[in-house]
Amino acid sequence: MPMPPSLIGSRADLLIEAVVVAEIIAIPVLLRAIRAAREGQHGLHKGLQLTLATVFAVATIALEVDIRMAGGMSFFAAGGRYEGTVFLDAVLYGHLGVAAVNAALWSVFPIVSWRRFRARLLPGTFSAVHRTLGWWAVIAYALTAGSGLALYIVGFVF
Ligand code: HEM
């Protein structure tokens, strides 16, 4: 069954655009989750972060399968202003690089944190490591979402 087309007339399909919208909606949710941790609402922080981690995992797998089944990034870039340019390659590989680091952080780190939380080590002896890695996960997400948006614009819209 072919994927429904773009809503705004881009070369992306509906699933790709749904993921772009989801990555923007995730930003206020992530900010709320960080505020919850700072205010000591650990249950809310945990729930929001585990929800985000699950949504990111599902969205990443769906996006990967969708793009590969369509014939890869070159299929979508075909006919676009930046088709075959070094610029598009730089945006694509830059995005894939930060996305790989992001995926590693957002899969292993939430599970480890959840286990430490249940073992009553968070808050506790795991707090300092959690805060450091947590901020790295936030930075990795910001870079992944930003570069993903750039890739959508130069690879699928123009
Ligand atoms: C990828 C997912 C997660 C990210 C990005 C993340 C991020 C953060 C950040 C940045 C802070 C520090 C906030 C500050 O500056 O005060 C924090 C604190 C905290 N997080 Fe997470 N977190 C994640 C998942 C989780 C999970 C799954 C749990 C529990 C099951 C959890 C429990 C906590 C607790 C208890 C604190 C407070 C630590 C303390 O002050 O001792 N986090 N988190």
Side-chain angles (χ1 to χ4, degrees):
M1 193 183 72
M3 191 56 67
S6 158
L7 285 179
I8 61 159
S10 78
R11 292 181 305 283
D13 61 32
L14 195 58
L15 188 139
I16 295 168
E17 284 180 352
V19 172
V20 172
V21 171
E23 81 182 7
I24 294 169
I25 293 174
I27 295 169
V29 179
L30 183 54
L31 293 176
R32 183 67 189 87
I34 295 168
R35 205 177 90 203
R38 297 198 142 189
E39 291 173 354
Q41 299 170 289
H42 296 156
L44 178 61
H45 175 74
K46 179 189 84 169
L48 290 174
Q49 297 295 38
L50 290 176
T51 303
L52 283 178
T54 308
V55 171
F56 292 162
V58 171
T60 307
I61 292 167
L63 196 65
E64 186 73 28
V65 170
D66 181 56
I67 292 178
R68 283 193 184 210
M69 279 178 55
M73 184 62 215
S74 52
F75 168 81
F76 292 102
R81 190 183 298 174
Y82 299 99
E83 182 186 9
T85 60
V86 174
F87 177 59
L88 179 57
D89 275 354
V91 176
L92 172 62
Y93 290 110
H95 173 67
L96 293 178
V98 288
V101 175
N102 187 58
L105 273 171
W106 279 86
S107 50
V108 179
F109 175 65
I111 295 170
V112 170
S113 301
W114 191 13
R115 291 173 61 108
R116 297 291 185 275
F117 183 76
R118 285 166 56 135
R120 301 185 186 281
L121 301 172
L122 178 68
T125 49
F126 191 64
S127 286
V129 175
H130 180 85
R131 276 206 212 107
T132 306
L133 282 177
W135 281 111
W136 277 111
V138 172
I139 292 166
Y141 181 72
L143 293 175
T144 305
S147 61
L149 194 60
L151 181 60
Y152 171 68
I153 293 168
V154 299
F156 298 79
V157 177
F158 289 107

